[in-house]
Amino acid sequence: MFVDSHCHLDLPEFQERLPDVLATMAAEGVEHALCVSITLEAWPRIRDLVRAHPGLLSASVGVHPDYLDVNEPTVAQLVELAMQPEVVAIGETGLDYYRMPGDELDWQRERFRVHIRAAREAKKPLIIHTRAAAQDTIRLLREERAEEAGGVMHCFTEDWDIARQALDIGFYISMSGIVSFKNATIVHDVARRVPLDRLLIETDSPYLAPVPYRGKTNQPGWVAHVAAAVARLRQIPVEEVGRITTENYDRLFGRARLPAVQPAPAA
Protein backbone atom coordinates (compact mmCIF):
# COMPACT_ATOMS: atom_id res chain seq x y z
CA MET A 1 0.00 0.00 0.00
CA PHE A 2 1.10 3.58 -0.69
CA VAL A 3 0.54 7.08 0.68
CA ASP A 4 0.69 10.25 -1.43
CA SER A 5 2.36 12.75 0.88
CA HIS A 6 1.57 15.83 -1.24
CA CYS A 7 -1.31 16.60 -3.61
CA HIS A 8 -3.73 19.43 -4.42
CA LEU A 9 -7.11 17.78 -4.90
CA ASP A 10 -8.94 21.05 -4.27
CA LEU A 11 -7.72 22.58 -7.54
CA PRO A 12 -10.08 23.02 -10.53
CA GLU A 13 -8.49 20.13 -12.45
CA PHE A 14 -10.25 17.72 -10.08
CA GLN A 15 -13.58 19.45 -9.62
CA GLU A 16 -15.49 17.22 -12.06
CA ARG A 17 -13.26 14.15 -11.72
CA LEU A 18 -12.94 13.49 -8.00
CA PRO A 19 -14.92 10.18 -7.89
CA ASP A 20 -12.74 8.74 -10.67
CA VAL A 21 -9.57 10.03 -8.99
CA LEU A 22 -10.51 8.38 -5.70
CA ALA A 23 -11.37 5.16 -7.52
CA THR A 24 -7.93 5.15 -9.14
CA MET A 25 -6.35 5.56 -5.71
CA ALA A 26 -8.13 2.43 -4.53
CA ALA A 27 -7.24 0.47 -7.67
CA GLU A 28 -3.54 1.38 -7.34
CA GLY A 29 -3.33 0.56 -3.64
CA VAL A 30 -3.02 4.18 -2.46
CA GLU A 31 -4.62 4.25 0.98
CA HIS A 32 -4.18 7.89 1.93
CA ALA A 33 -3.28 11.34 0.54
CA LEU A 34 -2.31 14.67 2.09
CA CYS A 35 -4.12 17.64 0.50
CA VAL A 36 -1.74 20.58 0.77
CA SER A 37 -2.83 24.19 1.18
CA ILE A 38 -1.42 26.99 -0.98
CA THR A 39 -3.57 29.96 0.17
CA LEU A 40 -5.80 30.76 3.12
CA GLU A 41 -8.57 31.61 0.67
CA ALA A 42 -8.56 27.96 -0.43
CA TRP A 43 -8.56 26.55 3.09
CA PRO A 44 -12.36 26.11 3.50
CA ARG A 45 -12.46 24.12 0.27
CA ILE A 46 -9.67 21.82 1.44
CA ARG A 47 -11.25 21.43 4.88
CA ASP A 48 -14.60 20.40 3.42
CA LEU A 49 -12.97 17.99 0.97
CA VAL A 50 -11.01 16.23 3.71
CA ARG A 51 -13.98 16.09 6.07
CA ALA A 52 -16.00 14.39 3.35
CA HIS A 53 -13.43 11.57 3.13
CA PRO A 54 -12.31 10.70 6.69
CA GLY A 55 -9.45 8.23 6.81
CA LEU A 56 -8.64 8.70 3.14
CA LEU A 57 -7.48 12.34 3.16
CA SER A 58 -5.66 14.73 5.50
CA ALA A 59 -4.89 18.44 5.14
CA SER A 60 -2.19 21.02 5.72
CA VAL A 61 -2.63 24.75 6.18
CA GLY A 62 -0.36 27.45 4.79
CA VAL A 63 0.46 29.94 2.04
CA HIS A 64 2.73 29.05 -0.86
CA PRO A 65 5.71 31.39 -1.44
CA ASP A 66 4.69 32.11 -5.05
CA TYR A 67 1.53 34.02 -4.09
CA LEU A 68 1.83 37.73 -3.35
CA ASP A 69 -1.70 39.19 -3.52
CA VAL A 70 -3.34 36.86 -0.99
CA ASN A 71 -4.23 36.99 2.69
CA GLU A 72 -0.99 37.08 4.65
CA PRO A 73 -1.01 34.59 7.55
CA THR A 74 0.01 35.37 11.09
CA VAL A 75 1.53 32.92 13.53
CA ALA A 76 -1.63 32.99 15.64
CA GLN A 77 -3.87 32.35 12.65
CA LEU A 78 -1.83 29.39 11.42
CA VAL A 79 -1.67 27.89 14.91
CA GLU A 80 -5.43 28.21 15.33
CA LEU A 81 -6.10 26.52 11.99
CA ALA A 82 -3.51 23.83 12.72
CA MET A 83 -5.57 22.75 15.73
CA GLN A 84 -8.38 21.59 13.44
CA PRO A 85 -8.61 17.77 13.43
CA GLU A 86 -8.04 17.45 9.68
CA VAL A 87 -4.71 19.34 9.78
CA VAL A 88 -1.51 17.32 10.11
CA ALA A 89 1.06 19.87 8.84
CA ILE A 90 1.95 23.52 8.21
CA GLY A 91 2.60 24.52 4.59
CA GLU A 92 3.40 24.43 1.93
CA THR A 93 5.87 27.16 2.70
CA GLY A 94 9.41 28.09 1.80
CA LEU A 95 11.26 30.20 -0.74
CA ASP A 96 11.01 30.49 -4.51
CA TYR A 97 13.46 32.77 -6.34
CA TYR A 98 12.75 31.30 -9.78
CA ARG A 99 10.64 34.23 -11.07
CA MET A 100 11.96 37.10 -8.92
CA PRO A 101 15.46 37.93 -7.61
CA GLY A 102 16.05 37.15 -3.98
CA ASP A 103 16.88 40.75 -3.09
CA GLU A 104 13.27 41.70 -3.85
CA LEU A 105 11.72 38.97 -1.71
CA ASP A 106 11.97 40.08 1.90
CA TRP A 107 8.19 39.54 2.17
CA GLN A 108 8.68 35.91 1.13
CA ARG A 109 11.37 35.28 3.72
CA GLU A 110 9.22 36.85 6.44
CA ARG A 111 6.25 34.67 5.45
CA PHE A 112 8.50 31.63 5.66
CA ARG A 113 9.63 32.61 9.16
CA VAL A 114 5.99 33.00 10.23
CA HIS A 115 5.21 29.45 9.09
CA ILE A 116 8.22 27.99 10.90
CA ARG A 117 7.29 29.79 14.12
CA ALA A 118 3.72 28.57 13.81
CA ALA A 119 4.85 24.99 13.24
CA ARG A 120 7.03 25.09 16.35
CA GLU A 121 4.16 26.50 18.43
CA ALA A 122 1.56 24.13 17.02
CA LYS A 123 3.94 21.15 17.13
CA LYS A 124 3.08 20.26 13.55
CA PRO A 125 5.67 19.40 10.87
CA LEU A 126 6.48 21.70 7.95
CA ILE A 127 6.03 21.07 4.23
CA ILE A 128 8.86 22.92 2.50
CA HIS A 129 8.90 24.25 -1.07
CA THR A 130 12.25 25.52 -2.35
CA ARG A 131 13.15 26.58 -5.87
CA ALA A 132 16.33 28.43 -6.87
CA ALA A 133 16.72 29.29 -3.17
CA ALA A 134 18.16 26.22 -1.50
CA GLN A 135 20.87 27.82 0.63
CA ASP A 136 18.54 30.54 1.93
CA THR A 137 15.91 27.91 2.66
CA ILE A 138 18.33 25.88 4.76
CA ARG A 139 19.63 29.04 6.46
CA LEU A 140 16.17 30.18 7.54
CA LEU A 141 15.23 26.69 8.72
CA ARG A 142 18.30 26.73 10.96
CA GLU A 143 17.82 30.32 12.17
CA GLU A 144 14.21 29.64 13.16
CA ARG A 145 15.01 26.28 14.80
CA ALA A 146 12.79 24.34 12.42
CA GLU A 147 14.24 21.09 13.72
CA GLU A 148 11.91 21.54 16.70
CA ALA A 149 8.96 21.02 14.35
CA GLY A 150 10.48 18.73 11.73
CA GLY A 151 9.07 18.33 8.27
CA VAL A 152 9.74 17.38 4.69
CA MET A 153 11.50 18.89 1.69
CA HIS A 154 8.74 18.28 -0.81
CA CYS A 155 9.25 17.51 -4.52
CA PHE A 156 12.99 17.43 -3.97
CA THR A 157 15.10 18.55 -6.96
CA GLU A 158 18.33 19.72 -5.30
CA ASP A 159 21.64 17.87 -5.11
CA TRP A 160 22.95 15.57 -2.41
CA ASP A 161 24.67 18.38 -0.50
CA ILE A 162 21.34 20.15 0.09
CA ALA A 163 19.65 16.85 0.90
CA ARG A 164 22.35 16.10 3.47
CA GLN A 165 21.90 19.52 5.09
CA ALA A 166 18.15 18.97 5.31
CA LEU A 167 18.65 15.51 6.77
CA ASP A 168 21.08 16.94 9.32
CA ILE A 169 18.29 19.12 10.76
CA GLY A 170 15.90 16.21 10.92
CA PHE A 171 13.90 16.69 7.73
CA TYR A 172 12.58 14.03 5.38
CA ILE A 173 13.12 14.05 1.61
CA SER A 174 10.15 13.48 -0.73
CA MET A 175 10.40 12.16 -4.28
CA SER A 176 7.85 13.23 -6.90
CA GLY A 177 7.23 12.00 -10.43
CA ILE A 178 10.48 13.71 -11.46
CA VAL A 179 12.35 10.70 -10.09
CA SER A 180 10.90 8.66 -12.97
CA PHE A 181 12.23 11.05 -15.64
CA LYS A 182 15.15 9.66 -17.62
CA ASN A 183 17.33 12.77 -17.46
CA ALA A 184 16.75 13.65 -13.78
CA THR A 185 20.19 12.33 -12.81
CA ILE A 186 20.66 14.62 -9.78
CA VAL A 187 17.33 13.48 -8.35
CA HIS A 188 18.23 9.85 -9.09
CA ASP A 189 21.43 10.23 -7.10
CA VAL A 190 19.56 11.61 -4.09
CA ALA A 191 16.88 8.91 -4.32
CA ARG A 192 19.59 6.25 -4.10
CA ARG A 193 21.34 7.86 -1.12
CA VAL A 194 18.59 9.10 1.22
CA PRO A 195 18.24 6.79 4.23
CA LEU A 196 15.13 4.72 3.70
CA ASP A 197 13.71 5.81 7.06
CA ARG A 198 13.74 9.46 5.90
CA LEU A 199 12.17 8.96 2.45
CA LEU A 200 8.65 9.95 1.32
CA ILE A 201 6.87 9.77 -2.04
CA GLU A 202 4.33 12.15 -3.54
CA THR A 203 2.59 13.20 -6.73
CA ASP A 204 2.22 16.99 -6.30
CA SER A 205 -0.99 16.43 -8.29
CA PRO A 206 -2.09 17.81 -10.68
CA TYR A 207 1.54 18.51 -11.64
CA LEU A 208 4.56 16.39 -12.59
CA ALA A 209 2.91 13.14 -13.62
CA PRO A 210 5.36 10.23 -13.54
CA VAL A 211 6.30 8.01 -16.45
CA PRO A 212 4.28 6.47 -18.15
CA TYR A 213 1.79 9.35 -17.71
CA ARG A 214 4.21 12.24 -18.16
CA GLY A 215 2.45 15.30 -19.60
CA LYS A 216 -0.98 14.27 -18.33
CA THR A 217 -2.89 15.64 -15.33
CA ASN A 218 -1.32 13.90 -12.36
CA GLN A 219 -3.38 12.24 -9.62
CA PRO A 220 -2.67 10.57 -6.24
CA GLY A 221 -3.16 7.05 -7.57
CA TRP A 222 -0.06 7.45 -9.69
CA VAL A 223 2.19 7.73 -6.63
CA ALA A 224 2.57 3.97 -7.10
CA HIS A 225 4.66 4.76 -10.20
CA VAL A 226 6.86 7.10 -8.15
CA ALA A 227 7.41 4.21 -5.75
CA ALA A 228 8.27 1.93 -8.66
CA ALA A 229 10.89 4.39 -9.95
CA VAL A 230 12.49 4.61 -6.50
CA ALA A 231 12.44 0.82 -6.21
CA ARG A 232 14.29 0.46 -9.53
CA LEU A 233 16.93 2.98 -8.50
CA ARG A 234 17.50 1.31 -5.14
CA GLN A 235 17.08 -2.24 -6.49
CA ILE A 236 14.53 -3.22 -3.88
CA PRO A 237 10.93 -4.44 -4.23
CA VAL A 238 8.31 -1.77 -4.82
CA GLU A 239 6.32 -3.28 -1.95
CA GLU A 240 9.19 -2.41 0.37
CA VAL A 241 9.20 1.19 -0.85
CA GLY A 242 5.46 1.36 -0.22
CA ARG A 243 5.72 -0.11 3.27
CA ILE A 244 8.65 2.04 4.37
CA THR A 245 7.35 5.34 2.97
CA THR A 246 3.94 4.70 4.52
CA GLU A 247 5.57 4.08 7.89
CA ASN A 248 7.63 7.24 7.45
CA TYR A 249 4.54 9.26 6.57
CA ASP A 250 2.71 8.06 9.67
CA ARG A 251 5.71 8.79 11.87
CA LEU A 252 6.03 12.35 10.53
CA PHE A 253 2.40 13.35 9.91
CA GLY A 254 0.01 10.73 11.22
CA ARG A 255 -3.54 10.82 9.87
CA ALA A 256 -6.36 13.33 10.26
CA ARG A 257 -8.29 12.80 13.48
CA LEU A 258 -11.73 12.88 11.90
CA PRO A 259 -14.77 10.86 13.00
CA ALA A 260 -16.35 8.60 10.46
CA VAL A 261 -19.18 10.19 8.54
CA GLN A 262 -22.48 8.94 9.91
CA PRO A 263 -25.18 7.97 7.41
CA ALA A 264 -28.21 10.21 7.29
CA PRO A 265 -31.22 8.82 9.16
CA ALA A 266 -33.88 7.17 7.05
CA ALA A 267 -36.78 9.42 6.12
Side-chain angles (χ1 to χ4, degrees):
M1 300 294 284
F2 307 100
V3 168
D4 182 1
S5 67
H6 193 113
C7 65
H8 300 282
L9 289 181
D10 63 301
L11 293 184
E13 288 88 338
F14 298 112
Q15 188 170 5
E16 304 297 330
R17 307 177 49 223
L18 190 60
D20 289 341
V21 167
L22 298 181
T24 299
M25 285 178 63
E28 295 284 351
V30 180
E31 66 182 32
H32 192 78
L34 176 49
C35 298
V36 175
S37 170
I38 54 176
T39 67
L40 294 182
E41 288 84 346
W43 164 245
R45 187 168 65 242
I46 295 174
R47 177 199 61 207
D48 293 347
L49 174 64
V50 171
R51 288 180 178 178
H53 299 90
L56 184 62
L57 304 177
S58 293
S60 75
V61 62
V63 181
H64 192 288
D66 271 349
Y67 296 96
L68 179 57
D69 296 321
V70 294
N71 289 335
E72 196 65 41
T74 66
V75 171
Q77 187 175 23
L78 289 172
V79 169
E80 180 180 4
L81 291 172
M83 294 301 103
Q84 299 299 308
E86 55 274 338
V87 176
V88 299
I90 301 286
E92 66 186 280
T93 183
L95 301 175
D96 194 320
Y97 297 172
Y98 181 72
R99 294 179 179 86
M100 297 176 65
D103 58 5
E104 298 179 9
L105 293 174
D106 285 345
W107 62 269
Q108 203 179 84
R109 287 182 284 274
E110 181 56 29
R111 179 186 292 173
F112 188 20
R113 291 182 188 276
V114 164
H115 281 75
I116 300 171
R117 293 166 188 168
R120 288 173 48 220
E121 185 173 335
K123 297 180 171 53
K124 295 286 176 75
L126 288 152
I127 299 171
I128 303 299
H129 169 106
T130 184
R131 190 178 188 190
Q135 291 295 349
D136 271 4
T137 299
I138 295 293
R139 176 177 62 82
L140 265 63
L141 288 170
R142 287 175 172 155
E143 288 178 2
E144 295 292 338
R145 307 196 312 277
E147 68 275 6
E148 296 178 12
V152 59
M153 308 296 285
H154 116 84
C155 190
F156 196 81
T157 57
E158 303 295 336
D159 62 16
W160 174 246
D161 179 62
I162 297 298
R164 179 187 53 77
Q165 292 183 61
L167 292 166
D168 285 347
I169 56 175
F171 274 65
Y172 289 67
I173 304 294
S174 182
M175 292 291 139
S176 70
I178 293 172
V179 76
S180 72
F181 297 174
K182 181 179 179 180
N183 295 327
T185 55
I186 292 174
V187 175
H188 296 167
D189 177 61
V190 173
R192 292 187 184 101
R193 298 171 71 174
V194 172
L196 281 173
D197 65 355
R198 302 284 284 283
L199 182 66
L200 294 175
I201 54 176
E202 65 173 89
T203 61
D204 201 13
S205 307
Y207 314 111
L208 301 173
V211 175
Y213 301 107
R214 189 173 181 181
K216 298 183 181 298
T217 300
N218 203 1
Q219 56 180 301
W222 294 349
V223 79
H225 297 276
V226 178
V230 171
R232 287 192 295 270
L233 289 166
R234 300 194 69 123
Q235 298 184 321
I236 60 177
V238 67
E239 293 82 7
E240 185 175 357
V241 174
R243 177 184 62 80
I244 291 171
T245 55
T246 297
E247 290 174 356
N248 294 344
Y249 177 93
D250 285 336
R251 185 166 58 251
L252 179 62
F253 294 120
R255 312 276 175 117
R257 304 181 307 279
L258 292 172
V261 176
Q262 298 300 316

